[in-house]
Amino acid sequence: VAFMEKLCGICMPILMAAGGSSEMATSKLQRLQRDLKRTKEDLKAKLVQCNVSALKQLDLVKGGTGQWDDKVTFYEPMKYLNEDEKDLVFMVVKDKLRQILDGTAPDSFMGQ
């Protein structure tokens, strides 16, 4: 709440000078606050997932029972991408694999 009050104190004079209304500003700021809260919750959930995964892997590495997972996965970056980003990664990987298999991959990509 204190952050929003400070933000309103900064933004209101600018908005009023530009001919806007306080109701419009309040509505936009409330929408922004909801979006930020949702983003914070999403990031917190991802952090919890990362921490749980790290602890499971650490237990396996240190000789734990290994009962949590069938295999050790040290990092799964695709888990943290949105669907469009995943599609892009798969398309790039598919294209690069095709280039490697048919011999058209650039030398710079092949490390030559």
Side-chain angles (χ1 to χ4, degrees):
V1 174
F3 171 75
M4 291 302 290
E5 289 173 358
K6 288 180 184 178
L7 186 58
C8 287
I10 294 169
C11 295
M12 279 301 201
I14 296 169
L15 180 68
M16 298 311 253
S21 70
S22 62
E23 291 83 17
M24 180 179 73
T26 301
S27 173
K28 287 185 178 189
L29 288 172
Q30 287 172 342
R31 209 170 324 131
L32 176 62
Q33 186 178 24
R34 282 191 304 272
D35 291 346
L36 289 172
K37 184 177 181 181
R38 197 170 321 129
T39 300
K40 176 185 169 189
E41 290 168 359
D42 291 345
L43 291 172
K44 188 174 182 178
K46 286 181 181 181
L47 179 61
V48 168
Q49 289 175 347
C50 287
N51 287 333
V52 168
S53 178
L55 288 174
K56 287 179 181 181
Q57 292 165 17
L58 186 59
D59 182 59
L60 288 173
V61 169
K62 289 186 172 185
T65 62
Q67 297 298 314
W68 286 318
D69 294 320
D70 293 341
K71 62 183 177 182
V72 176
T73 304
F74 283 95
Y75 179 62
E76 180 49 61
M78 299 295 284
K79 184 176 182 179
Y80 303 101
L81 299 177
N82 67 37
E83 290 306 312
D84 289 335
E85 292 167 330
K86 287 179 185 178
D87 288 344
L88 178 62
V89 169
F90 285 129
M91 289 171 60
V92 169
V93 169
K94 179 182 171 185
D95 184 56
K96 291 301 177 187
L97 285 173
R98 181 192 52 76
Q99 289 176 6
I100 291 169
L101 294 174
D102 66 17
T104 61
D107 289 341
S108 60
F109 181 75
M110 298 302 291
Q112 298 175 352

